């Protein structure tokens, strides 16, 4: 039987690949090779799953990043940027959640909270609210242009802004 986290991780992958409308119990069960009964062992239904999925996104892509940057000795901003630039789910997932937030009030509330938390933490570690907003806008914008910036291009853009700060 899959754990609750297995279902949520599969949900994030499906969300990134196909968008929020594709995140259905049937597709999740098929992806995990399980019955719907296993889903209902962990969630009361699609609504409960979507709420948990948004919480999981916030935990994995914001809370965990802040905790890991805090645990890094020395340069917290540098540690945070390494996490943001690390391979794995990234810009595609961010795009999917932002698109979902345009259509769904609950997703919008989570996205607003995530944005506030991220900018506040960037402000704390950089000591500069303007720089924090600029860095965050670069990361968000990198996923919104078509085609999205590669990790290397995003890193270069961030380094350019950080280099001008000195």
């Amino acid at each position: 039987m899959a754990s609750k986290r297995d279902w949520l991780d599969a949900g994030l992958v499906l969300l990134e690949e196909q968008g929020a409308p594709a995140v259905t119990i049937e597709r999740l069960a098929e992806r995990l090779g399980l019955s719907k009964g296993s889903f209902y062992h962990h969630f009361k239904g699609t609504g409960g799953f979507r709420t948990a999925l948004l919480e999981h996104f916030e935990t994995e892509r914001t809370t965990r990043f802040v905790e890991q940057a805090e645990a890094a000795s020395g340069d917290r901003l540098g540690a945070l940027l390494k996490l943001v630039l690390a391979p794995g789910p990234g810009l595609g997932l961010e795009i999917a959640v932002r698109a979902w937030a345009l259509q769904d009030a609950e997703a919008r509330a989570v996205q607003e909270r995530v944005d506030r938390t991220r900018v506040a933490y960037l402000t704390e570690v950089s000591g500069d609210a303007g720089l924090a907003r600029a860095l965050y806008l670069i990361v968000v914008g990198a996923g919104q242009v078509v085609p999205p910036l590669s990790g290397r291009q995003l890193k270069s853009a961030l380094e350019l802004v950080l280099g001008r700060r000195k």
Side-chain angles (χ1 to χ4, degrees):
M1 182 183 325
S3 69
K4 183 175 184 178
R5 182 180 180 98
D6 292 335
W7 285 98
L8 292 169
D9 287 344
L12 289 180
V13 171
L14 191 57
L15 177 62
E16 180 174 16
E17 290 174 356
Q18 300 179 30
V23 181
T24 64
I25 298 168
E26 293 78 17
R27 285 190 177 138
L28 288 164
E30 181 180 322
R31 182 169 288 245
L32 291 169
L34 298 168
S35 70
K36 292 182 198 177
S38 176
F39 174 91
Y40 288 107
H41 175 76
H42 299 292
F43 307 100
K44 293 189 189 254
T46 303
F49 178 78
R50 287 179 175 238
T51 297
L53 186 62
L54 288 164
E55 290 170 359
H56 189 57
F57 164 76
E58 183 174 13
T59 298
E60 290 300 304
R61 299 291 304 168
T62 301
T63 307
R64 185 175 58 82
F65 281 21
V66 169
E67 290 169 352
Q68 288 180 348
E70 284 295 307
S73 57
D75 182 13
R76 294 182 297 164
L77 179 58
L80 180 64
L81 294 178
K82 282 181 185 174
L83 291 167
V84 169
L85 294 169
L91 291 178
L93 181 58
E94 295 286 333
I95 293 166
V97 174
R98 286 186 187 285
W100 187 8
L102 293 173
Q103 307 292 322
D104 180 270
E106 183 180 18
R108 181 181 178 89
V110 170
Q111 185 65 69
E112 287 175 357
R113 185 172 61 241
V114 162
D115 286 345
R116 277 193 312 274
T117 300
R118 290 172 176 177
V119 171
Y121 187 68
L122 276 167
T123 300
E124 178 185 325
V125 298
S126 71
D128 183 334
L131 176 62
R133 281 190 298 276
L135 293 172
Y136 194 61
L137 290 172
I138 290 168
V139 172
V140 171
Q144 299 300 316
V145 294
V146 178
L149 295 185
S150 69
R152 183 178 308 197
Q153 291 169 320
L154 174 56
K155 182 179 181 193
S156 293
L158 292 168
E159 287 173 344
L160 179 67
V161 170
L162 289 169
R164 290 199 174 153
R165 171 183 172 206
K166 296 176 181 173

